[in-house]
Amino acid sequence: MSRRVVDLEGKSLSLTNLEKVLYPDCGFTKAHVLEYYRRMGPFILPHLQGRSLTLKRYPQGVTGEFFFEKRCPVHRPPWVQTAEIHRSGGETMTACLVNDLPTLLWVANLASLELHVPLARAGSPGTADAMVFDLDPGEEATILDCARVALILRELLSRLGLASVLKTSGQKGLHVFVPLNRGETTFGDTKRFSRAVAMILEKNYPELVTAKMAKSSRTGRVFINWSQNDGSLTMVCAYSLRARNKPYVSCPLEWRELELLAGRGDPEGFLVLPEEAIARVEAKGDLFREVLERTQHLPHL
Amino acid sequence: MQGIWSGTISFSLVAIPVRLVKAVAPGRISFRLLHGTDYAPLARKMVCPEEQDIVPPEEIIRGYELGPDHYLPITAEELASVSPERSRTIEIVEFIDMAEVDPVYLDHPYYLVPLKGGEKAYSLLAEIMRRTNRAGLAKFVLAEREYLVAVKSEQGALALVTLHYREEILPADDIAPKNGTVDEEEKGRMQRTMEAMRAEFRPERYADERREKLLELLRTKRENATVTAPVPGDEEGEGPADLVAALEEIMAEVKRKQ
């Protein structure tokens, strides 16, 4: 096993198995993954900052077995920052906080291709910083159906005075985020609100939308998974890689781009690979920045 | 009934083709472990706490624990070299009196079903063992383990019960209190009480009540179930009245515009 010790921001980091191919379809190696996260660091770190990370590790690459790790591995370097998380059973758990580039690369080196974080910061676990609509196409539906739903959703939210921001899931769906960033918004609020929105869309577009988790009602429709608005759940972080045949990125999009993509009718157009993701942030900056900065209030609650 | 094994029972010149089937089906209700958010069945993974990594099957070996952090590795070949070959026959070596067998030795009960051509010898052996209250003792290899078994007669059929080995039985020496004189009057009283409570063993009068309650619960739940995965959160209709009213209004506008 190859090992390379690098010194980064005064922290010593041991990188292993760099030549290991993690995405066999395109020869994308551990070194490529590390290089992607290194270059994406300035853009992804603000979205990971202060949030307890759930690692999704693929030690044998995307075709092998994977596992989720909510606890911060005990064999961590001393400089990795952590937070004590209170879990529902009353027990506490130590979670990793990816607050700097060395930690991001340490996590990537553990073959945690995907980075998942909650919608709350570890210091204020009851506060929903954002409300999310996780648009997930059921069987026989595509990301183009998700795009239709997303556009209706944006219209609906904007008439409620709420701006929303969009990213691809990096899989087959779309994530619509509503920035909140007000200390007093609870997950009870975001769950009630998003559920009401999902149900009104289901009622008005029964052929296109379902708000029910049951697999059978999802066929041919877009499932609006409002229940993701929960302090105990996580969403894949903006700019995280996904463990698919190719290293697709969960990539923020402009609404204008979505309209164009939807108009073009090409589901492949939504797929963003690491090189393109980096070129995009270098040209446009962080399209998801608003999720962290914009303050909004949920009306009519 | 699915057979676990088939072969022959033999002693001296007799050979009876039979099939081994279970005599009891434990009524335990089992549950799958699922992921609470999406109902995905959970898989077990072997994880090395040292490396915090999944260990692939080809890297897993067996070790006999000699002491803390001190293991003697044993290979699959070494294990195979001491494992007996699966028996083709149940070779009866002795006939014993079943009444002499302490129930603590009885392990797991099976039935032996006669196979074609063996019916006559089967009935004969069952009948003679019933009349003499004898059971045939045999060594028998099933699933890589060598069992001591008793072949006995049960209502005209042959049954097989696996027996514990002597070394598996834990000593009971220290359990009964050594001293303690028994008052004759007390003895008589207890004897009379027991006499009054005497009954025939009728197992059908008893049932596992928790199991029945659990079955009833599952039945009711299944009848009322409408979803396959949980829908967390409140179930208060469409949501907060004010919000729903606003949404209805906006929705109508949006649809008009389209």
Side-chain angles (χ1 to χ4, degrees):
Chain A
M1 189 166 80
S2 68
R3 182 182 292 269
R4 218 174 91 199
V5 178
V6 297
D7 200 64
L8 198 66
E9 299 176 5
K11 288 155 183 161
S12 166
L13 175 64
S14 165
L15 302 176
T16 51
N17 260 339
L18 293 171
E19 67 291 345
K20 176 131 192 158
V21 175
L22 296 176
Y23 293 84
D25 256 24
C26 54
F28 205 75
T29 64
K30 178 86 96 55
H32 290 125
V33 170
L34 286 161
E35 177 61 8
Y36 169 75
Y37 279 121
R38 186 189 66 77
R39 293 178 67 189
M40 201 45 110
F43 304 98
I44 191 173
L45 280 168
H47 297 283
L48 295 167
Q49 180 85 31
R51 294 172 198 270
S52 54
L53 179 79
T54 296
L55 295 87
K56 195 175 179 193
R57 296 175 60 182
Y58 291 80
Q60 302 305 320
V62 294
T63 52
E65 305 202 52
F66 67 89
F67 60 105
F68 284 100
E69 210 163 19
K70 281 183 181 282
R71 286 175 196 278
C72 195
V74 286
H75 297 265
R76 57 181 175 264
W79 40 260
V80 168
Q81 294 179 37
T82 59
E84 291 304 308
I85 306 299
H86 297 274
R87 307 190 80 183
S88 49
E91 43 168 349
T92 62
M93 174 188 88
T94 305
C96 307
L97 300 179
V98 182
N99 290 347
D100 50 37
L101 189 60
T103 306
L104 176 60
L105 297 187
W106 170 68
V107 163
N109 184 61
L110 293 173
S112 177
L113 303 175
E114 299 193 353
L115 307 175
H116 295 249
V117 283
L119 294 163
R121 287 188 168 78
S124 49
T127 300
D129 297 335
M131 174 170 67
V132 70
F133 294 90
D134 178 356
L135 309 184
D136 187 11
E139 275 179 52
E140 295 167 36
T142 70
I143 198 161
L144 292 168
D145 300 304
C146 291
R148 270 185 70 197
V149 175
L151 290 168
I152 299 166
L153 186 57
R154 177 186 58 157
E155 177 76 29
L156 192 63
L157 291 168
S158 87
R159 283 169 189 253
L160 285 163
L162 294 168
S164 51
V165 189
L166 170 79
K167 70 178 172 82
T168 64
S169 70
Q171 311 247 41
K172 290 172 181 160
L174 293 171
H175 297 157
V176 176
F177 276 62
V178 178
L180 300 169
N181 299 305
R182 291 160 56 95
E184 67 268 35
T185 314
T186 65
F187 284 102
D189 295 337
T190 53
K191 196 175 280 186
R192 266 204 306 283
F193 198 99
S194 58
R195 179 175 178 270
V197 170
M199 288 185 71
I200 199 95
L201 286 171
E202 179 189 63
K203 193 167 146 190
N204 283 277
Y205 300 90
E207 300 304 310
L208 180 64
V209 172
T210 179
K212 291 181 200 71
M213 198 172 286
K215 282 260 154 59
S216 57
S217 52
R218 286 153 75 166
T219 307
R221 296 190 182 89
V222 174
F223 170 45
I224 302 183
N225 190 356
W226 50 270
S227 66
Q228 282 293 339
N229 290 294
D230 191 302
S232 65
L233 300 180
T234 60
M235 291 290 293
V236 71
C237 189
Y239 306 112
S240 169
L241 297 176
R242 300 308 303 260
R244 296 179 63 195
N245 61 331
K246 288 189 177 136
Y248 296 118
V249 176
S250 176
C251 191
L253 297 178
E254 291 173 290
W255 283 108
R256 194 172 44 83
E257 288 180 286
L258 184 77
E259 285 168 7
L260 286 174
L261 284 167
R264 215 186 298 156
D266 172 23
E268 302 281 307
F270 291 83
L271 302 173
V272 180
L273 284 165
E275 273 309 315
E276 191 192 340
I278 286 167
R280 285 174 62 90
V281 291
E282 283 173 354
K284 298 170 188 265
D286 177 10
L287 294 177
F288 228 50
R289 190 77 209 172
E290 231 183 318
V291 172
L292 299 176
E293 290 176 348
R294 190 170 188 138
T295 304
Q296 299 192 102
H297 167 74
L298 293 179
H300 306 296
L301 267 184
Chain B
M1 231 182 329
Q2 217 197 323
I4 302 162
W5 174 90
S6 59
T8 51
I9 304 175
S10 72
F11 67 95
S12 144
L13 294 173
V14 185
I16 309 162
V18 288
R19 186 160 57 102
L20 188 73
V21 297
K22 279 183 189 168
V24 292
R28 225 180 92 93
I29 296 165
S30 62
F31 295 96
R32 289 292 300 267
L33 295 178
L34 307 176
H35 186 189
T37 56
D38 61 3
Y39 284 21
L42 297 181
R44 279 176 208 276
K45 299 268 153 72
M46 298 303 251
V47 173
C48 172
E50 290 294 320
E51 291 181 14
Q52 292 273 324
D53 249 1
I54 293 176
V55 179
E58 66 272 16
E59 285 178 23
I60 298 175
I61 61 161
R62 285 189 174 80
Y64 180 77
E65 191 167 8
L66 297 169
D69 294 327
H70 196 41
Y71 301 96
L72 193 63
I74 297 289
T75 66
E77 293 75 46
E78 286 169 323
L79 266 186
S81 73
V82 295
S83 300
E85 260 187 64
R86 200 181 153 96
S87 305
R88 298 305 335 160
T89 57
I90 299 173
E91 175 81 47
I92 294 174
V93 289
E94 290 173 323
F95 282 93
I96 56 159
D97 187 340
M98 231 14 230
E100 284 172 11
V101 180
D102 185 327
V104 78
Y105 278 90
L106 304 180
D107 186 12
H108 208 82
Y110 298 90
Y111 291 122
L112 291 163
V113 182
L115 292 177
K116 217 169 168 336
E119 294 88 348
K120 217 172 150 188
Y122 180 99
S123 302
L124 185 64
L125 180 62
E127 170 60 17
I128 293 170
M129 288 211 291
R130 185 188 66 79
R131 242 192 275 159
T132 55
N133 200 24
R134 292 274 145 158
L137 208 58
K139 280 285 210 64
F140 170 55
V141 179
L142 189 72
E144 286 178 14
R145 236 202 97 177
E146 192 175 36
Y147 292 94
L148 179 65
V149 302
V151 177
K152 56 192 184 118
S153 166
E154 219 156 83
Q155 292 157 358
L158 290 178
L160 178 148
V161 58
T162 57
L163 303 176
H164 289 292
Y165 286 106
R166 178 70 189 85
E167 66 264 26
E168 291 173 10
I169 308 295
L170 302 177
D173 314 347
D174 297 335
I175 297 195
K178 298 272 179 296
N179 48 8
T181 44
V182 183
D183 179 10
E184 280 306 314
E185 202 180 318
E186 255 179 299
K187 203 151 100 182
R189 205 162 39 233
M190 190 177 284
Q191 220 163 0
R192 282 192 297 281
T193 314
M194 280 171 62
E195 205 52 48
M197 289 171 69
R198 193 194 151 122
E200 256 177 64
F201 177 49
R202 297 224 302 270
E204 68 276 10
R205 283 167 47 185
Y206 301 90
D208 179 347
E209 280 175 42
R210 178 181 180 269
R211 181 174 187 270
E212 305 219 318
K213 279 186 191 155
L214 197 51
L215 282 175
E216 183 54 37
L217 173 73
L218 292 175
R219 211 172 296 130
T220 328
K221 278 201 80 151
R222 193 153 56 188
E223 278 158 16
N224 298 326
T226 49
V227 292
T228 55
V231 177
D234 48 27
E235 286 301 312
E236 46 177 38
E238 295 177 310
D242 195 16
L243 176 61
V244 172
L247 286 170
E248 295 273 14
E249 201 176 307
I250 293 167
M251 205 68 247
E253 281 172 37
V254 171
K255 288 184 99 170
R256 245 195 321 272
K257 207 187 86 178
Q258 276 180 343

